[in-house]
Amino acid sequence: MIIDFSKYSSVRIGGKFELEILDRVRDFEGVLIGGANNLLISPAPKKMAILGENFDFIKFLERDKTHALVRIGCKTKAAKIYRFAKENNLKGLEFLLKIPGTLGGLLRMNAGLKDENISHHLVKIMSARGEILREDVTFAYRFCPLTLPLFWAEFKLEWGFDDAKDVLLKSARSNQPSGASFGSIFKNPPGNFAGALIEAAGLKGFERGGAMISDKHANFLINKGGASFEDAIFLIELARSRVFEEFGVRLENEVIVL
């Protein structure tokens, strides 16, 4: 399967590369990508694969008066999971509306918003080497230690979609810029915000070629049109070095460079 990352990835940077399709549970020596929402593809990336369409699904396994057990394929998009939760009155996944990507990518990043993250209601994951229980995985802020291909996951969710939380979480993302982007460039360092540090270092709105550190939120890199891999890497490394020089804080990538 050929993917043109200048059209497929959220930041619209990258060339055309052939990817292997994983249509069954098996191992893969390379990088498994999802929606390419937090990826920056280099001119010579590692070997890549993508899940087959049979891993795009959501189904109930069990239901009782208080909880439901739901299995979700790792190719399933966050927006689809959010809609399923809302339509079926399930609590705990309200935050997914404003988060892009597929379940596999969400698990890889332990994606979340404020006090919510994808591992909160997780029961187990099917990996290339079998099922892994949630209690055996050390999730942390924007971190999942698993490097194996992931195929589906099960969640135990309470009934009662939280409409108030839904509104609150939507507003929490209202300051994020529009345009081609891979979302946050860096993880927030302890006790601080990466965007605030980059802005204080004088880089908000700074441009290189077709890429720009957003003039709305400095922890976002925007492809204004025709941005290259080199443009993006230059700005990422400039922000990292300038923040360290000014404040002694080492910013850690949230975006994955392949």
Side-chain angles (χ1 to χ4, degrees), residues 53-80:
E53 295 299 325
N54 52 316
F55 291 107
D56 180 0
F57 68 85
I58 310 175
K59 62 182 179 182
F60 284 107
L61 298 181
E62 298 175 7
R63 280 180 272 192
D64 61 27
K65 292 182 179 180
T66 59
H67 295 85
L69 185 63
V70 180
R71 180 178 292 178
I72 306 174
C74 282
K75 192 178 177 65
T76 311
K77 291 183 177 180
K80 181 177 178 179

Side-chain angles (χ1 to χ4, degrees), residues 216-229:
K216 185 176 182 181
H217 190 312
N219 197 25
F220 279 67
L221 184 148
I222 305 296
N223 182 354
K224 298 178 64 180
S228 67
F229 173 80

Side-chain angles (χ1 to χ4, degrees), residues 20-24 26 28 32 49-52 54-55 149 151:
E20 192 170 336
I21 299 175
L22 304 187
D23 54 9
R24 59 183 176 84
R26 64 179 177 87
F28 173 72
L32 182 61
I50 194 168
L51 292 180
N54 52 316
F55 291 107
F151 295 89

Side-chain angles (χ1 to χ4, degrees), residues 15 17 41-45 229-230 258:
F17 299 99
I41 305 296
S42 73
F229 173 80
E230 291 74 18
L258 293 182

Side-chain angles (χ1 to χ4, degrees), residues 4 17 22 34 40 57 66 68 81 114 121 129 132 155 185 188 199 202 222 227 236-238 251-252:
D4 182 352
F17 299 99
L22 304 187
L40 177 60
F57 68 85
T66 59
I81 301 170
K114 289 190 177 292
H121 304 284
R129 298 177 190 172
I132 302 174
F155 298 87
I185 306 169
N188 286 324
E199 181 175 352
I222 305 296
I236 290 170
E237 294 308 321
L238 176 64
L251 294 178
E252 182 182 352

